[in-house]
Amino acid sequence: MLYRNDSAEALTALERQRLGNYGHDYEEETKVCPHCGYTDPEEFYMLHGDCIGCSGCISRVEWEDYEV
């Protein structure tokens, strides 16, 4: 939006941009795994630019424990 430099709206817009809307209610984005639906996982795992899962649905195993 365009405001005159000496208007209250210009100052408000400037402060909102500078502070990131601090102090006002806003919805935070929740992280959700696209594969299992787990909410707020610690990590997402990617393969060739695509998400293949998260720390909730993918686990690490040692080679000796891996069975085909």
Side-chain angles (χ1 to χ4, degrees):
M1 306 248 345
L2 296 176
Y3 302 106
R4 289 186 15 220
N5 285 342
D6 59 349
S7 68
E9 292 86 8
L11 180 59
T12 303
L14 176 71
E15 290 299 304
R16 188 176 354 168
Q17 180 68 27
R18 183 176 71 87
L19 297 173
N21 212 16
Y22 180 75
H24 298 282
D25 292 334
Y26 60 92
E27 285 189 34
E28 286 189 25
E29 278 189 44
T30 56
K31 300 182 291 184
V32 177
C33 177
H35 292 282
C36 70
Y38 185 74
T39 304
D40 200 25
E42 291 181 22
E43 297 175 336
F44 286 95
Y45 298 101
M46 308 289 286
L47 179 66
H48 304 296
D50 296 323
C51 181
I52 59 170
C54 71
S55 56
C57 63
I58 294 179
S59 60
R60 179 181 174 166
V61 295
E62 296 296 327
W63 172 253
E64 295 83 23
D65 300 330
Y66 177 72
E67 294 180 18
V68 177

